[in-house]
Amino acid sequence: MEDVEAIIYLFLGVWLVITARRKVITARRKVITARRKVITASRKVMFQSRLRIARRDAEEADERVLEVLQRCRDYNRTYYSKLRRRRPCVWMLDRATEWWSVIVPSFTHTQWVENFRMSEETYTYLCNKMRPAMERQDTTFRVCIPLKKRVAIALWKLATGSEYRSIGHLFGVSNTTVCRCVRDFCAAAEALLVPELIRSPDRQKFAEMAAYTENRWGLPQCVGAIDGSHIPILAPQEYHCDYFNRKGWHSIILQGVVDGKGHFWNVFAGMPGSMHDARVLRLSSLWELASRGNYFPPCTRDIGGVNAGYYMLGDNAYPLQSWLLKPFPDTGWLTAEHVVYNKNICSARVVVENAFGRLKGRWRCLMKRNDCDVKLVKSMVLTCCALHNLCESHGEDYDDGWNAPPAAEPGAASSLLKAASNSHLRSADALA
């Protein structure tokens, strides 16, 4: 029995020990759990506080970045606006422009006509006509040349025939700019001015031209006069012999038809100077249309028993046609009626010669030897014809001093130098 009690007490003691140990372990676990909760709570609080601090720092950093970006935008906007307003110093050479910006605005009417061959009002009208094709806009790199200055440069070239260097010094631009202004102006004039100012008359216009010619010279049904004129050029590189005319210099031919007031209503330019006037006429569209009967309206009138339609006047170089009359050739056997007829024809046909004289006098690039390319010279000729009609229709003044011919024909000086050189060589050979 004692052994059983001992075993029972032993089991009870072990159970008490195990139970006490479990309580200790449980208590320790609760303490650890409590500590962990405290640590987790503290960590959570620390994390939240750090997160708030980080968010605040991020917001402050974003504000600083936005402030810096705004400052950069303001700086760039101010810098580039100043850059646009600043006069370029790299892309454009600083040149003197006082003549155009100071002297020209003070020109009187007489000075405008003398320098630009037209009044300031007509010049402004011309600039407005050319605006769609010639106006340019400023870029980041340079300020464009104003429209009025571009037109003035081209007019100065056409009116004086000066070289690009002289015009560039006068207007304060480069030689390339002068060349571009002239080319652009002539191209714009061919596209905008020539179709408007030089066009085939309609039925009403033909009747008005015929009435004016009859009232002035007594020639019924006459609507104008035709003639050709040589425009001096430099010898082209290709086919230069074809451009060498009978006068001894290179040229292209301008064929023009004018009405009684001296206004061109048909022009044809660009043929080589060696070509005959009759050949030039046959190559023009005027010949093709008039020969087919599609050019002049069918309006006839009984003149001395002959139903005569509209016709033009030409010299003896042109072929006789029903729409093209010319004087009787002076063979020494002309009757009195023939002489009177020739006199009337020549007196009326002088209008085309006067028109050519005023054309070349006002636009002297057609009188001097032109140093431009043949294609550009042709464009300049058509442009000058359109400008001639513009000035005449606007009643611009014409100075008779402009009619003064040059001191010598183009090429005469070089011919004299060549002759002198040949004479010198012959003398040297003779002495040898």
Side-chain angles (χ1 to χ4, degrees), residues 132 139 142 147:
T139 63
R142 67 165 55 190
L147 171 66

Side-chain angles (χ1 to χ4, degrees), residues 171-205:
F171 285 88
V173 295
S174 65
N175 299 346
T176 305
T177 301
V178 177
C179 180
R180 287 176 180 173
C181 290
V182 175
R183 289 180 180 272
D184 293 345
F185 180 82
C186 293
E190 283 193 81
L192 301 176
L193 286 184
V194 174
E196 178 181 350
L197 298 176
I198 305 176
R199 56 184 178 181
S200 300
D202 53 12
R203 178 184 293 269
Q204 181 180 359
K205 186 64 177 179

Side-chain angles (χ1 to χ4, degrees), residues 100 120 123-124 127 131 145-153:
W100 170 254
E120 188 175 3
Y123 168 76
T124 304
C127 291
R131 189 178 302 277
I145 300 178
L147 171 66
K148 290 189 174 183
K149 189 174 183 179
R150 289 166 57 84
V151 174
I153 290 173

